[in-house]
Amino acid sequence: MSYTHHEVLNPATGQVIETVPATTAAEVDAAVARAAEAQQGWAAAAPADRARQLRRFAAVVDEHLEELARLEVREAGHTIGNARWEAGNVRDLLDFAAGGVERLNGRQIPVAGGLDITILEPLGVIGVIAPWNFPMPIAAWGTAPALAAGNAVLLKPAETTPLTALRLAELALEAGLPEHLFQVLPGAGDVTGNALVEHPGVAKIVFTGSTRVGKQIMAKSADRLKRVTLELGGKSPNIVFADSDLEAAVAATPMSFLDNSGQDCCARSRVLVQRSVYDRFLELLTPGIESVVVGDPFDEKTQMGPLISQAQLERVRGYAPEELKGIRGTAPEGPGFWFPPTVLTGLDPDAPAACEEVFGPVAVVLPFEDEADAIRLANATEYGLSGSIWTRDVGRAIRVSRAVAAGNLSVNSHSSVRYWTPFGGYKQSGVGRELGPDALTAFTETKNVFISTEA
Ligand code: NAD
């Protein structure tokens, strides 16, 4: 969709909070040229200087943490506690990436008649296309390691959430990063985002968003053999065995799919429960769902805020109409994009809500018979991003972790994203990995040089 300006709404009220100009394809072109020039100087700078500048950027983000968090609450409806974590995650990622600049080592490989070395060179200009569900952290997952590896970054934030990204670009300049090295280009996906994908001067695209758009980006990138990292959708299982600490498994279930109002690619939205404890699980879960505090995201006590937009609200409603059986919590009435915490029961495993990514505060609970049945059900999805396994049997925890085809699993926990461990999906959930010890390497080409000692 083409437009010259985009209205940014506060999802808790539905009110316009700001109007942001959209970047045209011609402006993307000019931004790529400026970025390419800035990248030359950046790549040539001493590693210690690049590291120091990124640390300074991290420090400036830290000084503005509360401001960034409050901006995120306003444009994305995140709870203030989550938003503070998100701004802190940007700071931590910049520090982590800065630590890698001086450790981006090549290798020396034994050969006869000379010396063979590998050099990790920056790719050039990187296009980061970010979604609206975690605007700050996901932007930083691509941006921080790309900059650290000596690249320039052009970041296209989602249409609904450009404000924190624009502020981060200002803070980068305040921290002393070279002009044009990190530019934020708000605009429509199929105009501004597409211009980055099609631009010959952009060496790699890092995309997080829907599987549908991810496939289009990969197909277009194939034409130029442009590098891509894709973080796409998920429909992650939360597998609860009868031999688990059931109370602990139940207690952790609500926020495992309600955090960020369920707009999380790692949301554990398919709860698989062993049949022998299925009724007990639901009985214990009911008060946990009914008592989730949904409301003003600025209120420190709030656990869940609104959905991002009217469109997302309607999409979620379509998956969980009132007539479906289950457990439902409460949500505010009136303006804003609110949907209550919802657990659907009695659905077929192939019902849309049980196998498609809802991206809202909706989970389904399905019973399973034994370990083999749990693995079969867990893998009966086109996605493979994350998942959780609740059991006290260590052997079973390891067997099931090996058998579930997903990139990020947790045992007796729902954690999955840490900036210092790798993150990414199997199957339709993505291509490539972000974060972790190899985060910088994903933004480099390996060059092998043989130097003869015979001449
Ligand atoms: P989307 O994939 O359309 O948008 C993600 C980003 O890609 C945005 O910045 C968007 O502007 C950009 N984009 C869109 N079309 C593009 C194109 N043709 N070329 C280049 N860039 C383009 O996602 P959405 O419409 O915001 O959300 C739809 C659904 O996608 C959600 O309901 C959810 O299921 C899924 N989603 C998943 C994640 C995730 O973290 N995996 C994030 C956001 C959305």
Side-chain angles (χ1 to χ4, degrees), residues 126-183:
I126 308 296
V128 176
I129 301 178
W132 44 261
N133 58 330
F134 290 106
M136 277 194 286
I138 294 179
W141 295 1
T143 301
L147 291 175
N151 302 280
V153 172
L154 299 176
L155 166 64
K156 200 217 71 77
E159 290 85 330
T160 38
T161 55
L163 301 182
T164 45
L166 287 164
R167 188 68 187 121
L168 283 173
E170 290 171 0
L171 296 180
L173 290 178
E174 196 179 314
L177 251 69
E179 219 187 345
H180 309 314
L181 184 71
F182 169 47
Q183 300 173 56

Side-chain angles (χ1 to χ4, degrees), residues 3 128-134 138 156-160 187-197 205 207-214 216-217 220 231-234 263-266 308 312 315-316 356-360 383 385 423 429:
Y3 53 80
V128 176
I129 301 178
W132 44 261
N133 58 330
F134 290 106
I138 294 179
K156 200 217 71 77
E159 290 85 330
T160 38
D190 56 1
V191 179
T192 314
N194 188 55
L196 285 173
V197 173
I205 294 287
F207 169 81
T208 304
S210 61
T211 296
R212 182 184 64 81
V213 173
Q216 288 171 10
I217 288 178
K220 285 192 177 169
E231 298 292 355
L232 310 175
Q263 302 167 125
D264 181 344
C265 46
C266 291
I308 188 73
Q312 196 62 16
R315 187 185 141 92
V316 173
E356 293 171 20
E357 185 176 47
V358 176
F359 232 55
Y383 295 115
L385 192 52
F423 178 75
S429 287

